[in-house]
């Protein structure tokens, strides 16, 4: 695992829904080509979320048909009245492998004590990392003052360099 690049993650929002400035959703063939390219270039991390609709299913379809199963999957959940463990297990089924990281999709969810306690419970039972996806420095400071997550996801790409 040490030879794998873990600092770059493939975002999958447009794998399962219309996303980006030109509102495109990638089909299964395009998703497979992206993941083939990532694997060829030793990029094994995929970022997804239940909210990305069919994204987890398309990723799972790809993984099911490959001998390589060592993907590092990060999936995100938002505050919900539904059982978070059931949602996590559904993600695991859709992806065909267990996500190694479970994040609050935003700081609002993360700051909810019951939501965070549920993340901690899932972490202990499933032996995974937990954290939060944030969008600015103020959120980061507040998160770190509240709880020390295993992972903090921040948006960095060629279009967004705020951090």
């Amino acid at each position: 695992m040490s030879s794998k690049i873990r600092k770059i993650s493939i975002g999958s929002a447009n794998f399962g829904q219309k996303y980006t400035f030109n509102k495109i959703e990638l089909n299964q063939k395009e998703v497979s080509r992206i993941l083939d390219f990532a694997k060829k270039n030793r990029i094994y991390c995929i970022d997804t979320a239940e909210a990305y609709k069919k994204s987890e299913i398309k990723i799972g379809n790809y993984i099911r048909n490959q001998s390589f199963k060592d993907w590092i999957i990060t999936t995100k959940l938002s505050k919900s009245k539904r059982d978070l463990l059931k949602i996590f297990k559904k993600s695991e089924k859709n992806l065909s492998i267990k996500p190694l990281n479970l994040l609050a999709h935003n700081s609002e969810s993360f700051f909810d004590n019951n939501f965070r306690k549920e993340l901690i419970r899932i972490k202990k039972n499933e032996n995974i990392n937990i954290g939060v996806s944030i969008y600015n420095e103020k959120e980061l400071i507040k998160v770190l003052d509240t709880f020390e997550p295993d992972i903090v996801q921040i948006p960095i790409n060629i279009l967004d360099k705020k951090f």
Side-chain angles (χ1 to χ4, degrees):
M1 192 77 139
S2 62
S3 66
K4 295 179 185 175
I5 298 171
R6 290 187 234 162
K7 294 182 181 181
I8 297 174
S9 189
I10 303 297
S12 68
N14 66 335
F15 286 13
Q17 64 182 355
K18 291 183 179 184
Y19 190 75
T20 68
F21 66 92
N22 54 357
K23 302 292 183 205
I24 60 168
E25 177 185 340
L26 302 176
N27 63 39
Q28 185 66 55
K29 187 175 181 180
E30 293 165 321
V31 168
S32 295
R33 277 198 320 237
I34 289 168
L35 296 178
D36 281 341
F37 178 83
K39 186 172 71 170
K40 180 181 176 190
N41 289 282
R42 300 181 325 132
I43 300 168
Y44 303 103
C45 299
I46 305 171
D47 172 73
T48 192
E50 179 201 29
Y52 298 167
K53 300 183 180 172
K54 296 176 272 180
S55 171
E56 292 181 339
I57 291 168
K58 288 179 182 176
I59 293 166
N61 289 341
Y62 173 83
I63 292 172
R64 261 182 220 93
N65 294 311
Q66 303 291 312
S67 59
F68 181 82
K69 306 285 187 203
D70 290 339
W71 293 93
I72 300 167
I73 307 284
T74 298
T75 194
K76 298 184 290 283
L77 298 174
S78 296
K79 192 166 89 172
S80 170
K81 293 185 181 195
R82 298 178 295 154
D83 182 328
L84 294 183
L85 180 59
K86 282 184 182 175
I87 298 169
F88 177 78
K89 288 298 191 179
K90 182 179 178 191
S91 291
E92 182 177 356
K93 180 181 177 192
N94 287 341
L95 291 160
S96 78
I97 60 173
K98 182 164 83 172
L100 297 180
N101 307 309
L102 178 60
L103 306 183
H105 208 135
N106 55 52
S107 62
E108 178 187 336
S109 293
F110 186 79
F111 293 133
D112 179 277
N113 286 330
N114 291 330
F115 182 89
R116 198 171 52 255
K117 285 178 186 175
E118 189 67 14
L119 284 183
I120 293 166
R121 186 174 69 80
I122 294 169
K123 172 186 174 157
K124 289 177 184 173
N125 292 337
E126 297 294 325
N127 194 29
I128 60 168
N129 299 306
I130 60 168
V132 60
S133 184
I134 61 165
Y135 298 92
N136 60 57
E137 286 183 61
K138 285 171 100 174
E139 286 180 308
L140 176 61
I141 292 166
K142 190 173 176 185
V143 162
L144 295 177
D145 284 345
T146 305
F147 176 81
E148 188 174 323
D150 301 314
I151 299 170
V152 175
Q153 181 184 61
I154 58 175
I156 297 178
N157 62 56
I158 51 177
L159 301 175
D160 187 350
K161 300 179 185 177
K162 287 183 267 190
F163 275 90

